[in-house]
């Protein structure tokens, strides 16, 4: 190889290495200096997820009309767990993003439970209205049957009177 080519390679390597060292120095030591996810944070996150899961199941089974205080307490606990997931962890970007997305997903589930609860209440109200209407209709049918019986009796008595007349 040529001596000038070797000098060119050395100068290029030194120049590229110098630029790389400057960039490395300006940006810090990369990912290793950032605060990572601690075991405690991971355990808290998993605890929040477990709590959110169990509360979601309990909320779905709780009737907000009949067990309003219990439903409200469960919803408050669920919102606390979701809040911790959405903004409570100060770890690396990936873990924080995962926690926030998980929290938003549970928020959507909480909204779905609220819609289901409203739907259950609407169905219960509708059922009660239909039951009342059926009761009223039964009373009206009874009244009509009584009137029909009276009219038939009256008609039979009129026929008997006509038949008795010469």
């Amino acid at each position: 190889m040529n001596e000038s080519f070797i000098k060119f390679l050395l100068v290029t390597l030194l120049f590229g290495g110098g630029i790389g060292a400057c960039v490395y120095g300006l940006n810090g030591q990369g990912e290793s200096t950032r605060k990572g996810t601690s075991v405690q944070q991971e355990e808290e996150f998993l605890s929040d997820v477990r709590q959110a899961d169990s509360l979601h199941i309990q909320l779905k089974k709780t009737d907000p009309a009949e067990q309003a205080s219990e439903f409200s307490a469960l919803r408050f606990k669920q919102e606390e767990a979701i809040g911790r997931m959405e903004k409570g962890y100060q770890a690396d970007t990936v873990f924080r993003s995962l926690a926030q997305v998980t929290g938003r997903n549970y928020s959507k589930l909480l909204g779905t439970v609220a819609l289901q609860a409203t739907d259950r209440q609407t169905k219960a109200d509708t059922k009660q209205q239909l039951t009342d209407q059926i009761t009223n209709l039964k009373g009206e049918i009874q009244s009509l049957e009584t009137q029909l019986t009276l009219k038939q009796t009256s008609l039979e008595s009129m026929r008997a009177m006509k038949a008795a007349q010469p």
Side-chain angles (χ1 to χ4, degrees), residues 4-33:
S4 61
F5 182 70
I6 293 175
K7 286 181 185 178
F8 172 75
L9 284 177
L10 286 175
V11 169
T12 305
L13 285 174
L14 288 174
F15 184 69
I19 291 175
C22 288
V23 169
Y24 184 79
L26 290 175
N27 288 333
Q29 296 180 3
E31 296 294 321
S32 63
T33 59

Side-chain angles (χ1 to χ4, degrees), residues 13-85:
L13 285 174
L14 288 174
F15 184 69
I19 291 175
C22 288
V23 169
Y24 184 79
L26 290 175
N27 288 333
Q29 296 180 3
E31 296 294 321
S32 63
T33 59
R34 292 186 187 163
K35 184 178 180 182
T37 306
S38 69
V39 174
Q40 180 184 2
Q41 285 177 325
E42 289 178 14
E43 288 175 0
E44 288 174 5
F45 174 72
L46 292 174
S47 170
D48 286 339
V49 169
R50 277 189 227 102
Q51 182 182 16
D53 279 342
S54 67
L55 290 171
H56 177 70
I57 292 167
Q58 288 176 346
L59 272 172
K60 285 178 72 172
K61 292 179 181 178
T62 305
D63 188 8
E66 295 176 7
Q67 304 161 322
S69 62
E70 184 179 343
F71 185 83
S72 178
L74 288 171
R75 185 178 171 101
F76 180 73
K77 288 178 186 176
Q78 178 84 337
E79 287 173 350
E80 275 184 336
I82 291 169
R84 280 192 304 271
M85 278 188 269

